[in-house]
Amino acid sequence: MRRGIAAIAGSRIVGAERVKCSRRPILIQPKGAALARRLVGRTIDDVGRVGKRVVLRLDSGDRLIFEPRMTGLVLVADPPTTEHLRFRLDLAGGPIECIWYWDRRGLGSVRLLTDKDFAEKLGNNSLGPDALALAADDLKARLSASRRAIKVALLDQRAIAGIGNLYASEILHLAAVHPAKRCDKLTIAQWQAIHQHMLEVLNLAIQHEGSTLSDGTYRNALNKAGGYQNHHRVYDRAGEVCPSCGQKEIVRIVQAQRATFYCPHCQAARRR
Ligand SMILES: [Zn+2]
């Protein structure tokens, strides 16, 4: 998502508008005219990412944050539908004239934060370090005292930022760790395996521009499907034979209201 709009760095914002939408309204901050007033005329100095958010840093020091949650998209063109468009940014001085924020279910948000609010709301006290910047020792240090199930802990953005639900299942399958295993019961070798496969899964998913599941929701900035779903080993594959062992079928369970997929053979609870 970030790479898809990276070319807007250096562009000037010439318009910012909430799009009239009959669907459940999303969170857009600040309310009223203040948003456009603080955006229009500003230059985008940087297009970054913090965990699962795209962050535009402006020359005023403000940050414009797109948080897509379940069904949000950042698009440069060709929205999948017009009725779910939520926000538009008009640009000048660069190759892209307009970006959209689109959200079908409307759980995502668009927020403009000052430097200070950004540090408070998305700084180290509220959000963990990015998963891709985390050393193996740090991963263990941050989670190993917890009694929570490892799958649930990996999704805790305050501990580590950036791991989405489907990727947690993929990481644990490759690491051969049962998703319900308590963090404080994992061995050093298991932490190392989780760390190694966390980097592997996230980097490959980024390379393939994310996962577009059967509902077709996730699209890149050009409204094209991602490719990582073709690499899923367990996610959404309940009942299929495990690609690692070829012996057991993938099982679906629910942990903290989120679906988890694993192989009872490769990720056996007791043996591991
Ligand atoms: Zn297996």
Side-chain angles (χ1 to χ4, degrees):
M1 202 172 268
R2 188 200 71 79
R3 274 181 312 179
I5 61 162
I8 69 172
S11 292
R12 196 160 40 83
I13 299 171
V14 295
E17 202 179 316
R18 293 173 181 81
V19 180
K20 270 214 170 83
C21 178
S22 60
R23 305 294 173 132
R24 160 206 170 109
I26 68 160
L27 174 68
I28 299 182
Q29 279 180 339
K31 297 201 184 315
L35 180 65
R37 199 169 57 234
R38 281 167 56 190
L39 285 172
V40 173
R42 292 298 171 187
T43 297
I44 297 164
D45 278 347
D46 181 65
V47 180
R49 178 181 66 80
V50 173
K52 299 190 279 186
R53 301 156 195 78
V54 176
V55 178
L56 311 186
R57 183 164 50 79
L58 310 182
D59 60 352
S60 56
D62 284 350
R63 310 292 210 288
L64 184 65
I65 298 148
F66 298 104
E67 182 166 3
R69 302 282 301 275
M70 297 295 283
T71 58
L73 301 177
V74 176
L75 299 159
V76 300
D78 190 24
T81 60
T82 52
E83 79 245 45
H84 302 100
L85 287 171
R86 312 290 186 149
F87 180 77
R88 194 183 83 228
L89 211 53
D90 294 315
L91 305 162
I96 294 170
E97 288 183 351
C98 166
I99 63 169
W100 303 91
Y101 180 76
W102 181 99
D103 200 330
R104 199 184 67 229
R105 284 179 64 187
L107 302 171
S109 63
V110 179
R111 290 186 294 167
L112 183 67
L113 300 181
T114 62
D115 234 358
K116 185 168 161 282
D117 280 352
F118 178 73
E120 216 166 83
K121 295 200 166 107
L122 296 175
N124 291 339
N125 292 329
S126 2
L127 203 64
D130 196 272
L132 290 176
L134 203 61
D137 288 351
D138 296 335
L139 175 71
K140 180 172 174 291
R142 295 190 77 83
L143 296 182
S144 62
S146 171
R147 296 163 63 92
R148 289 181 298 180
I150 179 64
K151 159 66 170 25
V152 175
L154 286 176
L155 297 182
D156 178 358
Q157 303 295 304
R158 294 174 79 94
I160 312 161
I163 302 179
N165 186 49
L166 73 87
Y167 300 110
S169 283
E170 295 297 320
I171 291 164
L172 292 175
H173 181 252
L174 286 164
V177 172
H178 192 282
K181 187 88 178 175
R182 270 169 50 174
C183 290
D184 61 351
K185 304 281 187 195
L186 289 168
T187 65
I188 289 174
Q190 286 177 318
W191 283 114
Q192 283 169 342
I194 293 168
H195 179 259
Q196 179 200 327
H197 294 293
M198 173 181 82
L199 297 183
E200 184 185 308
V201 165
L202 294 179
N203 279 316
L204 199 63
I206 288 171
Q207 192 184 315
H208 289 282
E209 300 190 72
S211 299
T212 302
L213 305 178
S214 50
D215 66 3
T217 295
Y218 175 73
R219 323 290 293 173
N220 71 10
L222 299 172
N223 189 18
K224 299 276 190 298
Y228 191 68
Q229 67 281 2
N230 302 318
H231 298 262
H232 290 177
R233 302 166 63 82
V234 290
Y235 189 83
D236 212 12
R237 294 195 184 282
E240 294 181 28
V241 173
C242 169
S244 293
C245 64
Q247 294 193 32
K248 287 273 169 80
E249 289 180 0
I250 303 302
V251 171
R252 179 189 190 273
I253 58 171
V254 174
Q255 295 177 283
Q257 292 94 49
R258 309 298 304 276
T260 301
F261 296 85
Y262 74 101
C263 168
H265 179 75
C266 297
Q267 297 166 267
R270 200 169 299 163
R271 182 164 53 85
R272 303 277 174 181

